[in-house]
Amino acid sequence: MPPTHPFAGLFKAQSKPVPAATDAQIAHAESELGITLPAAYKQVLRYQDGGYLRLTQFELTFDPPENSYARRLYNVKALPSVRHDDYDNIMRQTETLRDEWEAPEGYYPLFGDGHWWCCLDYRSGGPHAEPIITHIDLAEVDPNEPPQEVAIASSFAVLLAGLKMDPENRKPARITLNPATSMDAIDTALTKVGMTRWKDPGGYPRGIQPPPAWEWPKYRSFVKGFPARVELWTNKLHLHKPLFAEPHAILQVYIAADQEQPALDELLEALQALGTPPTLLHGLQ
């Protein structure tokens, strides 16, 4: 299998794929903003032009002020795009920050809700230096005083490298298969990587049949105390509406976040034996 892209697990899955930014779009954004964007941010944009993040937690190395919106486990919600047809691009957010919230020059927002923002902070080094990442609170700013601020990371690269999944995550990864794939073929592929068929202990409500399932002792589930688990569904999850217009076999993978990448790589490679290549719909969310 080809190597996994380093940013493959960074963003949440979208119903419509988000395109990568072109070098021309990035250069146009830099020209419009009058800054040089961090090299690590531009690498991310070339993979996907912004979006909501799947890896959202960044642990600060200090306790922020009690009256600040910042917290020790800082929540990084999203990264802005540079394309003009996206309403939340970094150019429009910067304009909002300046015009509506009257923030000082030097701050360029990554995300925020109006009262507070997480920003690229160019004030100390100038518009073409590597910015630090700063959280600013604007809720009760005295016009004669600067906004309250908390330094989050020394660079965008440091912020990016420190992002982790929320340990409270409880939504499994999903892999789609050809609907014509037989149960025997799926069972054979999963058995080869060390999975065993799960037997229903009888805990499901009357009239509801549990999905075929396998346990994978090699890995842990995100449910504490249990091994990783794989369930087979056909185009729906429990009683929810279908995910696709056409039938699909869908594997749900319950895996601990810190073991997700090697487990999914191993599983996808094993499923290649089924003929039609499997598709990773999304990882843990």
Side-chain angles (χ1 to χ4, degrees):
M1 291 184 65
T4 303
H5 194 283
F7 300 140
L10 181 62
F11 292 97
K12 285 186 176 181
Q14 304 292 319
S15 57
K16 182 179 180 182
V18 179
T22 65
D23 288 342
Q25 288 173 320
I26 293 172
H28 190 274
E30 290 180 315
S31 176
E32 190 170 326
L33 293 169
I35 59 174
T36 299
L37 293 171
Y41 180 31
K42 289 191 280 191
Q43 289 177 342
V44 173
L45 292 171
R46 292 185 182 105
Y47 171 75
Q48 179 173 314
D49 189 17
Y52 287 100
L53 295 180
R54 177 172 162 267
L55 306 182
T56 58
Q57 286 199 340
F58 181 80
E59 185 172 2
L60 304 185
T61 57
F62 58 91
D63 291 321
E66 290 185 4
N67 60 340
S68 169
Y69 281 93
R71 297 292 181 266
R72 182 67 179 271
L73 283 176
Y74 192 69
N75 188 36
V76 183
K77 295 182 178 180
L79 294 177
S81 68
V82 293
R83 62 188 186 279
H84 269 273
D85 62 350
D86 181 18
Y87 183 79
D88 290 325
N89 63 50
I90 191 171
M91 298 83 78
R92 185 172 284 115
Q93 289 198 50
T94 299
E95 183 179 352
T96 298
L97 186 64
R98 300 275 190 276
D99 295 347
E100 295 185 21
W101 293 96
E102 300 179 351
E105 294 290 332
Y107 295 113
Y108 295 83
L110 295 174
F111 63 91
D113 74 348
H115 295 292
W116 61 265
W117 298 82
C118 180
C119 300
L120 301 171
D121 182 355
Y122 288 85
R123 292 172 302 158
S124 61
H128 303 295
E130 181 72 23
I132 65 173
I133 308 301
T134 300
H135 173 101
I136 58 173
D137 289 345
L138 301 168
E140 299 179 2
V141 175
D142 185 320
N144 299 315
E145 296 291 335
Q148 183 190 71
E149 63 181 58
V150 178
I152 301 298
S154 59
S155 69
F156 184 87
V158 169
L159 179 74
L160 186 65
L163 290 176
K164 297 180 180 179
M165 185 177 291
D166 184 343
E168 296 301 316
N169 169 54
R170 288 294 183 271
K171 294 184 180 179
R174 292 176 184 170
I175 296 172
T176 61
L177 305 174
N178 187 316
T181 308
S182 71
M183 173 63 72
D184 287 343
I186 294 173
D187 186 64
T188 298
L190 299 185
T191 300
K192 284 184 178 180
V193 295
M195 295 191 200
T196 57
R197 281 294 294 270
W198 173 78
K199 295 182 179 180
D200 176 22
Y204 271 71
R206 182 178 300 176
I208 297 180
Q209 292 296 318
W214 294 258
E215 290 187 333
W216 202 358
K218 181 177 180 179
Y219 297 102
R220 304 187 317 275
S221 171
F222 54 56
V223 181
K224 188 175 181 180
F226 288 87
R229 176 183 174 88
V230 174
E231 295 179 351
L232 175 63
W233 293 87
T234 305
N235 207 35
K236 66 178 181 179
L237 306 176
H238 298 283
L239 301 178
H240 294 280
K241 65 181 181 180
L243 296 174
F244 302 97
E246 300 296 329
H248 275 73
I250 299 173
L251 291 179
Q252 289 210 120
V253 186
Y254 298 78
I255 187 77
D258 62 343
Q259 296 185 327
E260 177 194 23
Q261 196 63 63
L264 290 183
D265 285 346
E266 184 175 352
L267 180 54
L268 289 167
E269 184 171 5
L271 293 172
Q272 295 286 336
L274 298 179
T276 303
T279 299
L280 179 62
L281 188 62
H282 65 68
L284 299 176
Q285 290 196 347

